[in-house]
DNA sequence: ACTACGGATGCAAAAGCTTCTCATTATTAT
DNA sequence: ATAATAATGAGAAGCTTTTGCATCCGTAGT
């Protein structure tokens, strides 16, 4: 029993070839953050004939199961990353699309306080910092 | 010369009826945060025959001119609000869609520090807190 | 006030991303 | 192995947003 099959079973999902391949893709990808299209194309390149609709369905199921996190970076389309349990936020380069991660307990704490002050029961939050990355700052 | 026409002229935009009406709509709307569709429908209801494409074009021009701010709340579509000069972030109710605003200098400061530490030249940021608002917490 | 020009508008078509439909196929429990 | 049930693939459809193009309008100059 591979680790992947166990993850799927634990999530209450049948172990199918598309789900296994997509999970492997997310685990082994160079870039942690992938669009559905990215996953689909990478699978095609590695010879797997998996439909785009299936990629979308499976990623949504993974999200529901807590296996992946979905992000809405600027540009409209969803980006997915493997959920390794640790919450973090993102800082993105507007020139080259690079994505870095960070976690700041001061910010997290202030957010909880702000929600409380406003009378909200907080369920989630998203914080994106946009800028020009070190590599892109050099180039004209 | 109305205030609106001056705003438009100052932004280098011709004073046209659609632009005037859209600007008025943003100024007088009950809810500060509107989608393009919201603006379009409200204009129809008040008897103005303005095309949806024009609403989108004008809102984008207003954004470029700094007259409005565009936000990407969860759900995908863009939301617009009049830019009153003051930066602020948002806390939204996932039940009823209510939107509240806040500004926290501690968070702003930490964001600048995080960008600097990562070597990024910060250009922008977006922070959304999601939760259940005071009104919705009572109801089952 | 009249003209001429360039920009603005409206409509319909198209684009881009995502979801849905449905016939076919694969997985799981027995 | 079989039956019951869920998953898949292909394409159609859905939504928001953008674009092409003919027509219209605002503006600057007369
Ligand atoms: Mn991440
Ligand atoms: Mn606001
Ligand atoms: Zn970069
Ligand atoms: Zn609410």
């Amino acid at each position: 029993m591979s680790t992947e099959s166990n993850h799927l079973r634990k999530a209450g999902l049948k172990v199918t070839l598309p789900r296994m391949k997509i999970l492997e893709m997310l685990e082994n990808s160079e870039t942690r953050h992938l669009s559905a299209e990215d996953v689909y194309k990478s699978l095609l390149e590695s010879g797997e004939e998996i439909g785009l609709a299936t990629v979308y369905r499976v990623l949504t199921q993974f999200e529901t199961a807590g296996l992946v996190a979905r992000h809405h970076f600027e540009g409209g389309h969803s980006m997915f990353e493997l959920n390794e349990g640790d919450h973090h936020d993102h800082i993105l380069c507007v020139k080259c699309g690079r994505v870095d991660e960070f976690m700041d307990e001061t910010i997290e704490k202030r957010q909880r306080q702000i929600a409380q002050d406003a009378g909200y029961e907080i369920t989630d939050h998203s914080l994106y910092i946009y800028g020009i990355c070190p590599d892109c700052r050099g180039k004209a």
Side-chain angles (χ1 to χ4, degrees), chain A:
Chain A
M1 288 298 124
S2 74
T3 320
E4 284 85 16
S5 353
N6 282 332
H7 283 159
L8 292 177
R9 268 187 257 277
K10 205 172 298 177
L13 298 169
K14 280 198 200 171
V15 178
T16 67
L17 196 133
R19 299 214 256 236
M20 289 289 281
K21 292 301 176 189
I22 292 171
L23 193 49
E24 282 172 19
M25 181 95 275
L26 291 165
E27 282 166 346
N28 303 329
S29 165
E30 284 295 310
T31 61
R32 287 184 43 75
H33 308 87
L34 299 168
S35 68
E37 192 76 28
D38 290 337
V39 173
Y40 174 65
K41 283 192 189 144
S42 303
L43 287 171
L44 279 194
E45 280 170 22
S46 53
E48 303 294 337
E49 292 285 328
I50 295 175
L52 182 55
T54 299
V55 173
Y56 273 104
R57 267 186 305 237
V58 168
L59 286 173
T60 300
Q61 292 159 345
F62 283 5
E63 183 193 14
T64 302
L67 292 176
V68 310
R70 181 197 300 255
H71 305 294
H72 301 279
F73 298 153
E74 208 126 46
H77 51 301
S78 296
M79 301 288 281
F80 301 85
E81 76 173 312
L82 207 59
N83 184 352
E84 320 258 32
D86 65 319
H87 163 75
H88 59 256
D89 291 299
H90 298 91
I91 179 164
L92 304 94
C93 180
V94 296
K95 296 280 186 196
C96 69
R98 169 172 161 184
V99 180
D100 285 296
E101 308 181 327
F102 69 88
M103 215 300 271
D104 187 272
E105 194 47 58
T106 304
I107 290 180
E108 301 290 326
K109 206 172 294 176
R110 287 299 302 144
Q111 286 178 165
R112 289 192 289 268
Q113 188 60 51
I114 287 160
Q116 188 180 315
D117 293 351
Y120 278 68
E121 182 183 323
I122 196 169
T123 58
D124 198 11
H125 76 261
S126 81
L127 168 56
Y128 304 123
I129 298 177
Y130 297 97
I132 303 169
C133 79
D135 292 349
C136 291
R137 287 178 69 178
K139 308 162 197 162

